[in-house]
Amino acid sequence: MKSTKKLINEPADAVTEFLEGYVSSMRHVQLLEGSPDINVVINVAPVSQHKVAIIAGGGAGHEPGQAGYIGEGMLSAAVSGQVFASPSAKSVLAAIRAVATPAGCLLVVLNYTGDKLQFGLAAESAKAEGYKVEMVLVGDDCALPGQGIAGRRGIAGTVMVTKIAGAAAAEGLSLQEVAAAAKEAADQCRSVGVATRICTLPGASPSDRLGEDEMEVGLGLHGEPGAATHKMQCANDIAAQCIDTIQRDGAKDMAEGHEVALLVNNLGSTPAMEMYIMARAALKYAQDKHRLKVVRLYVGTFFTSLDMQGASISIMPLDSRRLEWLDAPTQAPCWPADKCEVVPDKQKLPLPSEPRSRTSQTDQRRPEKLTPQGALLEKALLAAVNALLEHAQELDEWDQRVGDGDCGTTLAQGAKAIKADCGTKYPLNDAASTMAAVAESVGDSMGGSSGALYQIFFLALAAELKEDQTGEGWGSGAAAGLAAIQRYGGAKPGDRTMLDALTPAVNSFQQELSDGSLASALSLAASAASKGAEMTKSMKAGAGRSSYVPEEAMRNIADPGASAASYWLHAVAEAMQ
């Protein structure tokens, strides 16, 4: 079955329409006429006729390469074939005619047979017309040993080679000098790629070559089979395998202490989080294992294979001139604006110190002897957290149907932290300081909205208890906590949230407290919370993750947050009887 899950129109029009969209978004570039047979993007910004022009190209599907690197300081033009297909010599010759200067023109070409032939033919044709043209091949892929007459494939290292060539040309070096700088950089650059999912061409069927638990090392940019298929490994092991391969192949240029640039490239659809995990692993291994002095670390989407999932790692040895060229300014939009300098021994900054008033509140320890009120407070806290732990799985199951599935787990994390801190940290004889400490435990252990909302609740409660630690103080403090939740969370009673249990509970508690005992007020509050949670079964969600869920999917299911509130309130009420 062919894949239709591509944001395209007709597969045959994909390259032309991509280029038309790209040049529409960039002031300094324009297409030559002749598409779809000729797909050439050129830099139309004014350039010096005394500087060498740089052209690169190849099949489409490697975006942002090559069009994303057009601009002063990198490419003068990019030539594109169809997806994974070499451009014609006619297209390359058109690019040479459009941008070549009296100083000459350098072609930077990935070492694939089709590209080599088409660019070579164009170069010879241009020379016959009187143009000064040189060509440099980039074959940085060192994953496959002994690649014979064809030579090594070119992959993401070509981006650094192009940057060096463009910067050397911008300095005004001669064609021979620019070509020599680019060739030396290409010869010393080494790369290895790893994929966890093969790319899918527009209109083609997805590949099933890799299983769900497999990865492939050393595959080509067009999805060609690589050096080996392995069971999936962690980022640290993948980075180590790639860098070991690179270092073995380029040992003479990458001795201990040698300065290098490290490029970690997204092959197409790898999440940014995973890319930076890979970058961290690669940097650490290169520094610690091989003692390389990594002075530049480039991380991002530089040269892709459509939607392939995976990453490639490239290492280029540096000298002072090559480093200057990498750092030189460029108008190319897809080269990093920052120098991406690696700071040696970069340390985390210390946390800002907390205000003295808060430190004195929350850094106290459990009293050696509890007052009767302190003992009751401990009993109530432990009853509440044990109830949340008991119902965690049930709450998760409900939340899987109406939210993101982690309500019970998140509350259990907070419950465990409170339970642990209660035995060591809480100044239980002081209710206000204890509630502030509970807020800190919640903030340190619970993520997401629930953690923030409960922390806000307990902080507001603690502020009120400073003035009054009687039953009335607890009532006004709880009311203040509800008001703070509504102020910052945006929800209100009736929106199918924990407020639908907590609001009637607090109202009942305050009303009963004026006439009855604390125990009876808590009992009525728990009953009101249960009724409120039950009523959420018929409510339409107005806030939280549930607001994105279809109404029919939530029918007859109580809001997990409201149910959790009723559980811990019941536990507190029973403990206080």
Side-chain angles (χ1 to χ4, degrees), residues 336-489:
D338 187 83
K339 289 183 178 180
C340 303
E341 185 174 359
V342 176
V343 178
D345 301 319
K346 195 171 191 177
Q347 301 295 319
K348 295 178 181 178
L349 297 174
L351 289 171
S353 58
E354 294 184 351
R356 292 179 61 87
S357 58
R358 179 170 177 182
T359 303
S360 62
Q361 266 189 2
T362 60
D363 283 0
Q364 299 182 49
R365 293 291 180 263
R366 177 189 173 90
E368 292 184 9
K369 184 177 181 180
L370 296 180
T371 64
Q373 291 78 13
L376 276 176
L377 181 55
E378 179 182 43
K379 185 178 180 182
L381 282 172
L382 292 177
V385 298
N386 284 333
L388 290 174
L389 292 171
E390 179 184 347
H391 291 282
Q393 183 175 347
E394 171 190 320
L395 292 169
D396 274 349
E397 289 172 357
W398 291 350
D399 199 35
Q400 286 169 9
R401 298 176 63 182
V402 301
D404 52 7
D406 65 350
C407 177
T409 300
T410 301
L411 290 170
Q413 290 170 345
K416 290 175 183 177
I418 293 170
K419 192 171 185 176
D421 293 344
C422 191
T424 57
K425 292 175 61 175
Y426 293 167
L428 292 160
N429 292 339
D430 181 344
S433 295
T434 299
M435 289 301 101
V438 168
E440 187 172 353
S441 298
V442 167
D444 289 343
S445 61
M446 286 175 64
S449 299
S450 296
L453 292 172
Y454 268 111
Q455 188 175 14
I456 287 169
F457 177 82
F458 285 120
L459 285 174
L461 173 59
E464 290 291 323
L465 287 174
K466 284 182 183 179
E467 306 300 326
D468 181 5
Q469 298 193 14
T470 65
E472 287 76 11
W474 281 95
S476 60
L482 291 183
I485 286 175
Q486 292 184 64
R487 182 163 60 252
Y488 295 109

Side-chain angles (χ1 to χ4, degrees), residues 33-170:
E33 291 182 347
S35 61
D37 297 325
I38 295 177
N39 289 316
V40 176
V41 184
I42 68 170
N43 181 15
V44 294
V47 294
S48 171
Q49 293 297 300
H50 303 292
K51 295 179 180 179
V52 173
I54 311 293
I55 297 174
H62 305 304
E63 294 71 34
Q66 300 281 0
Y69 302 112
I70 297 175
E72 179 69 22
M74 282 194 80
L75 292 180
S76 309
V79 189
S80 177
Q82 293 302 308
V83 175
F84 295 168
S86 301
S88 65
K90 181 180 178 181
S91 294
V92 180
L93 183 57
I96 295 171
R97 290 167 177 165
V99 300
T101 69
C105 177
L106 176 67
L107 308 180
V108 180
V109 182
L110 293 170
N111 188 37
Y112 290 93
T113 301
D115 292 343
K116 191 162 51 173
L117 290 172
Q118 298 294 346
F119 276 81
L121 175 57
E124 293 306 312
S125 299
K127 289 176 184 177
E129 294 179 7
Y131 292 98
K132 294 191 289 185
V133 182
E134 294 289 342
M135 187 168 85
V136 169
L137 294 175
V138 181
D140 53 311
D141 184 358
C142 63
L144 297 175
Q147 292 174 311
I149 295 174
R152 290 175 165 170
R153 301 174 298 198
I155 53 177
T158 189
V159 180
M160 289 191 285
V161 174
T162 300
K163 180 64 176 67
I164 287 166

Side-chain angles (χ1 to χ4, degrees), residues 190-210:
R190 304 282 193 290
S191 302
V192 174
V194 176
T196 57
R197 190 184 69 208
I198 308 301
C199 59
T200 303
L201 275 66
S205 302
S207 171
D208 59 358
R209 193 167 87 220
L210 287 180

